[in-house]
Amino acid sequence: MARGPDDDPRITDLRRYRKAREQAKRQPPPKPKRPSEGFLGSNPRAGLILAIVAVVLAALYVVPMFL
């Protein structure tokens, strides 16, 4: 069965191209997808850093009590 000229992908239809381009311009740009950040942010070592800071602060508070 022969296909019509509308179905031939080799033929460039400028009207169809311009219409599709104008419709794409009218659509609002897609919102950027932000990765879901956890409580401590996006740094994968944030938990380790927080733990080290807590240990240092605890040591600064507890060590002078023994001296």
Side-chain angles (χ1 to χ4, degrees), residues 15-30:
R15 283 181 285 155
R16 188 183 322 164
Y17 169 75
R18 288 179 184 147
K19 184 178 178 183
R21 187 176 62 183
E22 289 297 323
Q23 285 179 352
K25 283 183 181 179
R26 286 186 206 140
Q27 293 179 353

Side-chain angles (χ1 to χ4, degrees), residues 1-18:
M1 185 164 135
R3 297 188 323 183
D6 293 336
D7 295 336
D8 192 358
R10 294 176 292 163
I11 297 175
T12 303
D13 187 2
L14 292 177
R15 283 181 285 155
R16 188 183 322 164
Y17 169 75
R18 288 179 184 147

Side-chain angles (χ1 to χ4, degrees), residues 54-67:
V55 168
V56 168
L57 288 176
L60 288 174
Y61 180 74
V62 173
V63 169
M65 295 170 105
F66 293 113
L67 294 178

Side-chain angles (χ1 to χ4, degrees), residues 29-49:
K31 293 182 179 180
K33 294 181 180 179
R34 289 183 26 190
S36 60
E37 294 183 3
F39 178 71
L40 298 175
S42 62
N43 188 352
R45 295 190 181 118
L48 176 63
I49 294 169

